[in-house]
Amino acid sequence: MRRLCSIALLSAAWCCTAAWAHTPNPTAAQQPSLRLNQPMDAGWQFSRGDFPHAEATEFSDGAWRTLSVPHDWSIAGPFDQANPTGQGGAFLPAGVGWYRKHFVLPQSAAHKRIFVVFDGVMANSDVWINGTHLGHRPYGYVSFRYELTGHLRFGAGEPNVLAVRCDDSAQPASRWAAGAGIYRHVHLIETGDLHVQGWGTYVSTPVVSAQQATVRVQSTVVNQSASTRNTSVAISLYAPDGKLAARVTTSAQSIPAGQAYTFTQLIPVARPDRWDIDHPVLYRAVVDVMDRGHAVDQDTAAFGIREFHFDPATGFWLNGRNFKIKGACLHAEYGAFGAAVPLDAWRHRLAALRKLGVNAIRTAHNPPSPEFLDLCDQMGFLVMDEMFDCWTVGKNPYDYHLYFDQWATTDTRDTVMRDRNHPSIILWSAGNEIHDTPHTLRAHWILAALLEVFHEYDPSRPVTMALFRPNASHDYENGLADMLDVVGQNYRENEILAAHQQKPSRKIIGTENGHSREAWLALRDHPAYAGQFLWSGADYLGEAHVWPYIANSSGLLDRTDFPHPLGLQRQSWWSAAPMVRIVRRVAPAARGPVDPGEATDAKRPHQVLFADWTPANQAAHTEDVEVYSNAERVELFLNGRSLGTESIHSDASPRTWQVPFASGPLRAVASNGGRVVATDELRTAGAPARIVLTADRSRIAQGWNHVDYLTATVVDAHGVVVPSASNLITFSVRGPGSIAAVDNGDNTSHESFQADHRSAYEGRCVAFVRTATSHGQIEVTASAPGLQSGTVSMTALPARSADAGGL
């Protein structure tokens, strides 16, 4: 397909770009001009509150705080029951925040087209350049861009001022902690008049086999010059090893001034190196815009060659292999960092989920940051990229329903264009538990409009949505469910299975599910059920229900990525690696949610499982012990004496023992075919004696996205973790490092994350260390009164050197 259209039409569809057709650049030189992409993260002035005329160039911001973005100002707190965000927003503050950045452009840039790209601003953002208003975006989760050309100054002594106002003062506006401010990265892009449209390169792989693949590259070139340009594009495909895999040049096309043209090329690749969850390799497409024999712009896109599909009878297939999607839902925040999350923190969380057997992520309930998707590509996670938590019927007085009619198609289009090259994405989701569905005509009209946008800008992927009580709103009867490419439903596993039985042509997936064994068996035992996404992958700030809770406890992991006992049970069901873990049960399990939005206990669930052998009552009594393992047989020992052996249960229930308590080691030995494959041991702890401090890595890269994860554990004289320890631990740093954040996973703690100290919770807390330099030795000490301190060291390295070392 080739497509010629006016820039005015593109601007209407691509409304975040400032009027290409109406900002001619009469001084543009007729010379090659390749694109530059410069980070704009450093050197912002920030202040909370509203300030009249703060968009003006001459406004005085000298008293404001200087900082770098990404920046979530709400995570600094304090937590306060009176904060208007309420339990949904973790009782964190909200309001207006202003950012201003002063920057100078060289005189050589005067002949360029200049764009600014914001990866995400929370929320209701307005942007000005040198006092000129560029636009407004209400949805804090979408990326957007504005053209600055015609509003800039160039040369030394001619500073420019980029001003951003964000406003989330109208509350409550979210069911979880959404953050506040410029919480994702900012970029400045320079191009010539002839260039690839923003997010204008689209790569798909319509034909894939082990022997041959067809790569389809589509690139929209914009002509913002004053004359017709005779243009072609040269496309180079580079294999994962960096070698050139293919290179083609399209035929030339005359693009009139003020118009755009879409080039499309099918490129064969022999013996492709296919992207897979256990082989996440990436190709790179380089698109050079050619003008009179010279490359004048260059766009690049990472992509993966893979084939996937959903089958109504057998579920999900990737590269000819049929397996279950074992997913987890994640919000865009990460505990101690709020919404401004360094990439290394996400890497740590995804690695912890991978260990439990998770192979897919649902971005609940909004588009994630671009680098989060990059990480999923690189680590081999499948992704459901979700757009909205509501349509026109809100769940909070000030949420997105106020803006849906005006902005939904634009936000969807921009997100699909931004994200469509990621091989990790296998599903788009049009929404979560949408309350419009009881209004049949309205819901059908909205879904049809969204589907049209998804399919127009990415025809290669199916669309689902997380249906909300579909039997109550008759979605399976009135045709709404069958508008979806893949039918998704939250919870109520028997309902979606019955819907498939009623109409076997339906492709089905669980878009949100609980941790119960019954939910797992529904997936395990039904081939048509393609997968499930558990609520949730990790505990998260918000949806806390009642003070003093500030976070939701539904995760496989706690906020510090430490697995909850239910996460260990899930590992026994989902992980292929042999494992065994021991826990104590002190009460029957509380009933989990079986219905969307259900809170089974307004005071939050009481903890009933403990992965320790140190009960508060150490007098003679009997403990209920559960062992989670995927091995054929498990034998349990107490103080070296066998308590018996149990074989794996076909119904996935845990192996259980009634154990008379005695101090000492409780040990589980798992075996397959008589060979030991895994062991676990719990020991009874004594009094706290010292702190053991460990680091995830011995080297740390310079840069905002790089942090080292340190764990401080309180142990007794024999090195056994003391689960009741709550000592206040202080972290001190020597060398070129600093404490970026601290946490302990306690969902009732109101301690600041932005500190150098944290109370231990269940015997542990964590600190994140960052370095601002590219060399030197960093030493961190964790100390507490009455305990022997712990120390760990790491080396600061340049970002590229550290990355080359696998960090």
Side-chain angles (χ1 to χ4, degrees):
M1 178 185 70
R2 296 182 177 185
R3 185 169 56 197
L4 190 65
C5 58
S6 71
I7 295 176
L9 287 174
L10 280 175
S11 290
W14 184 231
C15 68
C16 57
T17 302
W20 286 342
H22 306 296
T23 55
N25 189 359
T27 62
Q30 300 298 313
Q31 71 230 15
S33 176
L34 292 180
R35 141 179 340 210
L36 295 176
N37 189 335
Q38 306 175 40
M40 290 279 281
D41 290 345
W44 289 82
Q45 303 298 113
F46 168 76
S47 186
R48 285 183 58 181
D50 215 354
F51 301 90
H53 312 300
E55 75 279 6
T57 305
E58 62 274 12
F59 180 86
S60 176
D61 57 21
W64 290 11
R65 178 184 170 194
T66 302
L67 51 77
S68 294
V69 299
H71 172 240
D72 174 4
W73 63 258
S74 70
I75 198 62
F79 295 103
D80 190 328
Q81 192 173 6
N83 278 332
T85 56
Q87 61 84 22
F91 302 102
L92 285 166
V96 176
W98 275 90
Y99 296 81
R100 287 168 54 90
K101 182 173 176 63
H102 301 253
F103 63 101
V104 175
L105 292 172
Q107 191 63 45
S108 60
H111 305 304
K112 307 292 182 63
R113 293 281 166 177
I114 311 293
F115 303 85
V116 64
V117 180
F118 291 89
D119 286 345
V121 182
M122 188 64 68
N124 298 298
S125 67
D126 288 274
V127 180
W128 294 262
I129 183 66
N130 294 330
T132 298
H133 186 248
L134 298 174
H136 173 79
R137 293 298 286 254
Y139 197 30
Y141 294 108
V142 294
S143 299
F144 56 93
R145 58 186 263 147
Y146 298 113
E147 183 167 5
L148 309 184
T149 311
H151 307 296
L152 294 167
R153 303 163 181 164
F154 301 92
E158 295 290 339
N160 298 279
V161 178
L162 186 63
V164 180
R165 180 184 185 270
C166 42
D167 181 4
D168 69 345
S169 54
Q171 293 289 340
S174 177
R175 297 190 299 119
W176 56 89
I182 306 177
Y183 72 104
R184 293 178 183 166
H185 295 287
V186 184
H187 317 266
L188 198 70
I189 296 177
E190 296 181 9
T191 73
D193 284 339
L194 193 65
H195 59 87
V196 176
Q197 175 194 10
W199 303 318
T201 296
Y202 171 37
V203 185
S204 59
T205 54
V207 178
V208 178
S209 70
Q211 293 75 35
Q212 183 85 13
T214 299
V215 177
R216 181 180 183 270
V217 181
Q218 175 182 302
S219 200
T220 300
V221 176
V222 177
N223 180 10
Q224 289 186 264
S225 74
S227 61
T228 297
R229 307 288 278 271
N230 195 44
T231 305
S232 61
V233 296
I235 304 168
S236 302
L237 302 184
Y238 292 91
D241 61 5
K243 296 179 181 179
L244 183 66
R247 180 177 173 83
V248 298
T249 300
T250 68
S251 58
Q253 170 68 35
S254 291
I255 307 178
Q259 302 249 336
Y261 182 81
T262 298
F263 294 87
T264 300
Q265 188 71 40
L266 298 177
I267 306 172
V269 175
R271 296 181 297 279
D273 196 357
R274 292 179 293 177
W275 185 94
D276 211 317
I277 58 173
D278 52 6
H279 186 65
V281 292
L282 296 172
Y283 282 73
R284 185 166 54 98
V286 178
V287 178
D288 289 306
V289 179
M290 307 302 294
D291 183 41
R292 288 173 291 184
H294 298 283
V296 296
D297 187 36
Q298 186 177 91
D299 194 22
T300 63
F303 69 98
I305 296 178
R306 83 282 186 269
E307 185 279 331
F308 75 89
H309 65 276
F310 289 83
D311 182 86
T314 56
F316 180 73
W317 293 76
L318 177 64
N319 296 330
R321 188 163 57 98
N322 182 215
F323 59 88
K324 296 293 187 183
I325 295 172
K326 300 173 180 177
C329 303
L330 289 179
H331 279 310
E333 61 80 41
Y334 184 105
F337 291 106
V341 187
L343 200 56
D344 278 349
W346 281 132
R347 182 179 286 109
H348 189 274
R349 175 156 294 174
L350 291 178
L353 289 171
R354 171 62 53 78
K355 186 175 181 181
L356 301 184
V358 173
N359 62 19
I361 301 296
R362 175 192 182 204
T363 66
H365 303 288
N366 45 261
S369 67
E371 63 268 20
F372 178 84
L373 293 174
D374 290 339
L375 195 58
C376 290
D377 293 343
Q378 296 159 15
M379 295 182 69
F381 280 88
L382 306 172
V383 174
M384 179 197 297
D385 197 342
E386 191 155 61
M387 277 305 305
F388 306 115
D389 190 44
C390 64
W391 291 350
T392 66
V393 179
K395 299 175 183 177
N396 280 289
Y398 301 102
D399 62 18
Y400 188 75
H401 81 278
L402 298 174
Y403 316 107
F404 184 88
D405 283 340
Q406 180 180 357
W407 286 100
T409 55
T410 297
D411 289 340
T412 302
R413 175 173 46 242
D414 291 353
T415 298
V416 173
M417 291 182 69
R418 187 199 72 172
D419 293 351
R420 58 191 174 178
N421 293 326
H422 290 280
S424 56
I425 297 175
I426 57 166
L427 281 167
W428 302 110
S429 171
N432 170 65
E433 297 180 2
I434 299 302
H435 291 188
D436 296 67
T437 54
H439 310 282
T440 304
L441 292 178
R442 179 198 301 168
H444 280 234
W445 183 87
I446 291 174
L447 181 56
L450 292 175
L451 288 170
E452 182 178 0
V453 175
F454 280 118
H455 291 151
E456 177 182 356
Y457 289 92
D458 178 26
S460 73
R461 289 179 179 84
V463 182
T464 188
M465 65 181 285
L467 292 177
F468 177 67
R469 300 173 184 166
N471 281 9
S473 52
H474 307 290
D475 299 339
Y476 292 124
E477 301 165 25
N478 64 27
L480 183 78
D482 293 320
M483 294 173 67
L484 299 167
D485 303 313
V486 177
V487 179
Q489 178 177 330
N490 287 6
Y491 304 99
R492 298 187 175 193
E493 293 79 16
N494 289 335
E495 283 186 12
I496 194 170
L497 290 171
H500 178 266
Q501 186 175 15
Q502 292 160 6
K503 189 173 183 180
S505 61
R506 287 172 172 151
K507 304 168 185 178
I508 61 170
I509 192 166
T511 40
E512 185 174 312
N513 301 87
H515 297 280
S516 72
R517 182 168 58 92
E518 291 74 17
W520 161 232
L521 293 178
L523 173 63
R524 188 194 71 176
D525 296 341
H526 293 87
Y529 209 170
Q532 292 178 345
F533 289 86
L534 300 177
W535 193 264
S536 57
D539 292 357
Y540 56 94
L541 295 172
E543 209 162 11
H545 299 294
V546 64
W547 184 267
Y549 284 90
I550 49 91
N552 190 284
S553 306
S554 60
L556 294 169
L557 309 171
D558 72 11
R559 290 199 318 264
T560 70
D561 300 338
F562 195 76
H564 286 307
L566 283 177
L568 302 177
Q569 183 176 51
R570 183 63 51 167
Q571 184 182 7
S572 73
W573 295 337
W574 279 11
S575 176
M579 59 80 63
V580 62
R581 294 298 298 267
I582 310 168
V583 302
R584 296 185 296 117
R585 178 178 291 280
V586 300
R591 185 178 67 88
V594 296
D595 196 51
E598 178 185 16
T600 57
D601 183 351
K603 296 183 179 179
R604 307 304 302 133
H606 177 66
Q607 185 173 355
V608 298
L609 294 170
F610 296 85
D612 66 61
W613 192 236
T614 310
N617 173 22
Q618 297 203 9
H621 69 284
T622 298
E623 288 283 343
D624 293 330
V625 172
E626 295 184 357
V627 176
Y628 308 136
S629 179
N630 52 14
E632 296 169 0
R633 296 176 65 80
V634 173
E635 187 171 10
L636 190 67
F637 298 84
L638 177 60
N639 289 320
R641 182 175 63 87
S642 176
L643 302 180
T645 301
E646 279 204 40
S647 298
I648 194 168
H649 299 166
S650 61
D651 64 357
S653 60
R655 284 164 261 204
T656 60
W657 282 263
Q658 298 284 305
V659 181
F661 175 76
S663 178
L666 182 68
R667 180 176 174 84
V669 178
S671 60
N672 287 331
R675 182 175 64 88
V676 174
V677 293
T679 63
D680 187 33
E681 183 175 280
L682 302 177
R683 290 186 288 164
T684 310
R690 59 189 176 93
I691 299 170
V692 175
L693 185 62
T694 58
D696 261 19
R697 59 187 64 165
S698 60
R699 300 177 297 168
I700 180 171
Q702 180 185 6
W704 185 90
N705 269 319
H706 297 286
V707 291
D708 202 353
Y709 182 103
L710 275 60
T711 304
T713 306
V714 179
V715 300
D716 67 8
H718 302 288
V720 179
V721 178
V722 183
S724 61
S726 58
N727 307 70
L728 181 63
I729 296 176
T730 298
F731 298 92
S732 57
V733 182
R734 293 180 58 188
S738 62
I739 302 297
V742 293
D743 199 359
N744 62 6
D746 181 0
N747 288 335
T748 62
S749 173
H750 303 153
E751 297 170 276
S752 174
F753 297 119
Q754 298 178 356
D756 63 358
H757 55 274
R758 189 75 174 191
S759 298
Y761 175 65
E762 296 184 348
R764 52 186 295 278
C765 63
V766 301
F768 299 87
V769 174
R770 178 180 282 136
T771 180
T773 65
S774 59
H775 64 277
Q777 198 71 12
I778 302 169
E779 183 179 275
V780 182
T781 298
S783 60
L787 299 181
Q788 181 182 333
S789 299
T791 299
V792 69
S793 296
M794 64 209 71
T795 303
L797 295 175
R800 288 188 178 182
S801 298
D803 288 342
L807 297 186

